[in-house]
Amino acid sequence: MAIHLQQALEVGKYIFTQRLKGRKRYPLVLMLEPLFRCNLACPGCGKIQHPTDVLKQHLTPEQCFAAAEECGAPIVSIPGGEPLLHPQIDEIVRGLIERKKFIYLCTNGLLLEKSLDKFQPSPYLTFSVHLDGMRDWHDYCVNRKGVFDIAVQAIRAAKAKGFRVTTNTTIFEGADPKQMQEFFDFLSTLNIDGMMISPGYSYEWAPDQEHFLKREQTRALFREILAPFKAGKTKWNFNHNPLFLDFLTGEKDYECTPWGSPSYSVLGWQKPCYLLNEGHYATFSELLEKTDWSKYGHASGNPKCADCMVHCGYEPTAATDAMQPQNIARSIGSVFG
């Protein structure tokens, strides 16, 4: 199973409860960024472009716990930067587990193997390792040779110690569909607990702006990459709601749910979403109440949103759609493979 049963049940219960309370906007995943500092300089990343004084800062465990409680989302994704650089990352993870949050600690893998002793295996903790393809392509994407081999070795070490491990793959323009299929076949040999995929993030601050996919490019590329999976010829283990994969291939047409994955960092609550730098609010309630959400998403006509199909905006939409009667059976079936 990719999305394990306990998480699926808790998220389903959470969505049902929000609906009973009549809430139209509620978060599913807190994107908790305890620091922006990183040990890589990937050209497609816009997080490490902050000024030096910001890169030196990090959230305290208490700030992380307060954000998780204020937000209330059942899932906490911990990106960065590289979160394993945080001197108290183990304390942050332990505190979130105590609060029964499902944690995806996102890492490039360089520090993972030597950090494993800081953590205990738990159904609430998953290491999400960034891998964009096989060795040559991944090392090209992260602009450093040798990263792929270190990350794969770390995955094997984490699995050997009983940890849940998924991979996180960003697919940019220029990706070869056949090579991506071979890559997914390779990941299947690592006994990981699921694969996550997403089109390239349209970070405004990313140094490389030429390789982000346009919407129709995204659909065509993902249709080609996922064709064997859709035809039942492979059993790739995706850590996604199947409706989100339908969205990537153009079988579903969703609107963005930018409030579904709010981002909290040393700068505060980022508005309006993880990908756009339009300032910050001090509280989550301000983010929800003061943001003019009609100005964002594909239907808004906002040119910044025109081509975005990234998981942080659309997977919450798919998760909500999965609770519709006509989709429940398929969503439950995906949990059991």
Side-chain angles (χ1 to χ4, degrees):
M1 293 187 294
I3 301 176
H4 61 88
L5 183 60
Q6 184 180 359
Q7 178 183 320
L9 290 173
E10 288 297 324
V11 171
K13 183 173 70 173
Y14 171 81
I15 294 175
F16 184 70
T17 300
Q18 302 306 307
R19 286 185 167 184
L20 284 180
K21 293 179 178 179
R23 293 176 178 166
K24 294 183 178 180
R25 298 190 181 102
Y26 50 86
L28 280 179
V29 180
L30 167 61
M31 309 286 279
L32 179 65
E33 300 174 282
L35 81 175
F36 293 128
R37 192 166 66 255
C38 192
N39 47 7
L40 286 176
C42 304
C45 177
K47 294 298 179 178
I48 59 171
Q49 308 305 320
H50 288 284
T52 302
D53 62 317
V54 174
L55 294 177
K56 290 179 179 179
Q57 299 177 41
H58 58 257
L59 294 174
T60 66
E62 291 72 24
Q63 288 174 308
C64 293
F65 305 150
E69 291 172 356
E70 180 185 4
C71 171
I75 300 172
V76 178
S77 175
I78 308 180
E82 171 52 58
L84 291 177
L85 288 171
H86 194 294
Q88 295 171 287
I89 189 61
D90 51 341
E91 185 178 342
I92 293 171
V93 168
R94 282 197 304 272
L96 292 173
I97 289 175
E98 290 172 0
R99 289 163 174 78
K100 305 297 184 184
K101 302 296 184 182
F102 293 96
I103 304 156
Y104 286 84
L105 194 156
C106 305
T107 175
N108 56 39
L110 292 179
L111 298 175
L112 179 56
E113 186 171 5
K114 64 178 65 176
S115 300
L116 290 176
D117 290 341
K118 295 181 179 180
F119 306 96
Q120 294 293 324
S122 166
Y124 288 98
L125 173 61
T126 300
F127 291 114
S128 179
V129 181
H130 174 213
L131 283 176
D132 283 344
M134 294 301 289
R135 181 181 293 108
D136 290 345
W137 178 252
H138 178 71
D139 288 354
Y140 167 78
C141 288
V142 301
N143 201 27
R144 185 186 299 180
K145 289 187 177 296
V147 175
F148 176 87
D149 290 333
I150 295 172
V152 169
Q153 181 177 317
I155 289 172
R156 291 189 169 115
K159 289 302 301 176
K161 290 194 172 186
F163 288 98
R164 280 182 54 84
V165 180
T166 59
T167 54
N168 186 14
T169 301
T170 306
I171 298 178
F172 294 97
E173 182 184 16
D176 181 88
K178 188 174 186 302
Q179 290 180 3
M180 293 308 303
Q181 292 164 357
E182 293 171 354
F183 171 59
F184 294 153
D185 287 340
F186 168 75
L187 292 181
S188 299
T189 69
L190 298 180
N191 194 34
I192 57 174
D193 298 280
M195 304 181 296
M196 292 183 282
I197 56 175
S198 182
Y201 303 169
S202 298
Y203 283 124
E204 292 181 293
W205 286 8
D208 179 4
Q209 290 291 323
E210 297 181 2
H211 291 89
F212 294 126
L213 291 162
K214 304 300 183 184
R215 181 166 282 235
E216 288 309 314
Q217 282 181 301
T218 296
R219 289 171 173 159
L221 181 57
F222 276 86
R223 276 195 296 270
E224 191 170 355
I225 291 172
L226 296 178
F229 176 75
K230 289 284 189 176
K233 296 179 181 179
T234 67
K235 294 184 178 180
W236 297 330
N237 190 20
F238 287 111
N239 192 50
H240 289 294
N241 185 304
L243 301 178
F244 176 68
L245 299 181
D246 289 351
F247 167 70
L248 291 179
T249 58
E251 298 166 72
K252 287 274 188 181
D253 189 16
Y254 286 137
E255 268 305 307
C256 178
T257 306
W259 56 83
S261 300
S263 173
Y264 182 75
S265 70
V266 295
L267 301 175
W269 294 94
Q270 186 171 332
K271 57 178 182 179
C273 73
Y274 186 66
L275 301 177
L276 299 182
N277 291 295
E278 299 191 359
H280 296 79
Y281 286 114
T283 67
F284 178 65
S285 60
E286 285 182 298
L287 174 68
L288 278 187
E289 295 165 11
K290 293 186 177 182
T291 303
D292 185 353
W293 298 108
S294 66
K295 294 182 178 179
Y296 304 100
H298 185 70
S300 71
N302 188 330
K304 294 180 180 180
C305 305
D307 294 309
C308 181
M309 295 178 69
V310 177
H311 66 90
C312 60
Y314 288 93
E315 193 141 29
T317 313
T320 301
D321 191 30
M323 298 297 290
Q324 296 296 322
Q326 66 270 26
N327 296 325
I328 289 177
R330 185 178 175 207
S331 298
I332 293 176
S334 70
V335 174
F336 294 98

